Amino acid sequence: MVGSCQPGPPGDIYAQNANIRRHVVAVDGSNMAHAVIETAVKERTRLQTGRSRATALVVLVLLAGLGLFLALVVGKSDPTSAPTCNGTTMTRNDECRIWSNHGGGGTYGYQEMIDRRESGKGVWQVVGFVGTGLSVVLMGVAVTKLNPDRPWGKPVTAVCPRCYQPNLREKLTVHTISRGRTNYRYSGIVTLCTPVCGFSAVRQR
């Protein structure tokens, strides 16, 4: 069931749960409410098991490594090696004629071709070091925000209509389905109790 509950005492608890169930169909008329809830449950599981943080850190470490590769290998400065012109190594008396539809064309001497090459490498160094620094910053954010001890969602003031304990938490959740080149997004505020209780519901924003 989307919003499952057992018969309980009358009053605010039952009324609130009834309100939650009334909004389930409004979230999506094609049974996507269940999919939104499942997305939230999986998200909470990944958070509590630490998989979300581990995945984020692995991705960020790879991006940081790519940034260092761009900065230290692709962008490595080498002002003493001979430049090339159309794949051919130049000598000091050579000139290189460049045609370009985007600007920057012309005739360049030996040292000017070295300067052009080193200028391009400088761009890769900036991109690489900036990417690495950003990845390191995001690692710190991931460690804090995706801490397994950090509770999922925001607390709900009402008690759970199934176990009658104040363990309800809710969060806006988005479920995405790709069909061909089109992405369909279904969203709703999902309310979950503890995994032991198993209560779940979804309503519109």
Side-chain angles (χ1 to χ4, degrees):
M1 296 178 63
V2 175
S4 173
C5 68
Q6 296 175 346
D12 292 340
I13 296 175
Y14 183 80
Q16 183 189 10
N17 186 54
N19 183 57
I20 291 175
R21 289 191 295 170
R22 282 198 301 269
H23 283 292
V24 169
V25 178
V27 174
D28 176 62
S30 58
N31 297 324
M32 280 296 113
H34 293 282
V36 174
I37 290 177
E38 290 178 2
T39 299
V41 172
K42 291 178 181 179
E43 178 184 299
R44 183 178 67 176
T45 301
R46 288 194 301 268
L47 175 64
Q48 294 177 342
T49 58
R51 284 185 294 174
S52 291
R53 183 167 67 174
T55 301
L57 290 177
V58 168
V59 172
L60 291 172
V61 167
L62 292 176
L63 290 177
L66 177 61
L68 289 176
F69 176 80
L70 293 176
L72 302 179
V73 178
V74 178
K76 182 180 179 181
S77 178
D78 187 17
T80 59
S81 64
T84 60
C85 179
N86 195 27
T88 302
T89 302
M90 296 177 62
T91 64
R92 292 190 175 274
N93 296 324
D94 290 339
E95 289 185 338
C96 184
R97 178 70 177 176
I98 298 177
W99 287 269
S100 174
N101 295 327
H102 306 288
T107 302
Y108 299 91
Y110 183 90
Q111 187 59 46
E112 290 175 319
M113 290 298 291
I114 292 179
D115 294 339
R116 284 174 59 89
R117 181 189 65 195
E118 295 305 309
S119 175
K121 289 186 175 182
V123 173
W124 284 116
Q125 287 181 341
V126 172
V127 171
F129 284 128
V130 170
T132 300
L134 182 60
S135 297
V136 172
V137 172
L138 292 177
M139 287 181 196
V141 175
V143 169
T144 302
K145 296 294 185 180
L146 300 179
N147 188 341
D149 297 328
R150 185 185 179 92
W152 175 89
K154 298 180 180 180
V156 178
T157 55
V159 298
C160 175
R162 171 180 288 184
C163 66
Y164 310 119
Q165 298 298 316
N167 296 325
L168 293 178
R169 302 188 71 87
E170 65 180 16
K171 184 179 180 182
L172 175 63
T173 304
V174 179
H175 177 73
T176 303
I177 295 179
S178 298
R179 295 173 181 171
R181 297 182 179 180
T182 304
N183 292 328
Y184 298 90
R185 295 164 59 90
Y186 302 90
S187 64
I189 297 178
V190 177
T191 303
L192 299 177
C193 193
T194 62
V196 175
C197 171
F199 173 80
S200 60
V202 60
R203 70 180 191 277
Q204 285 182 315
R205 288 184 282 180

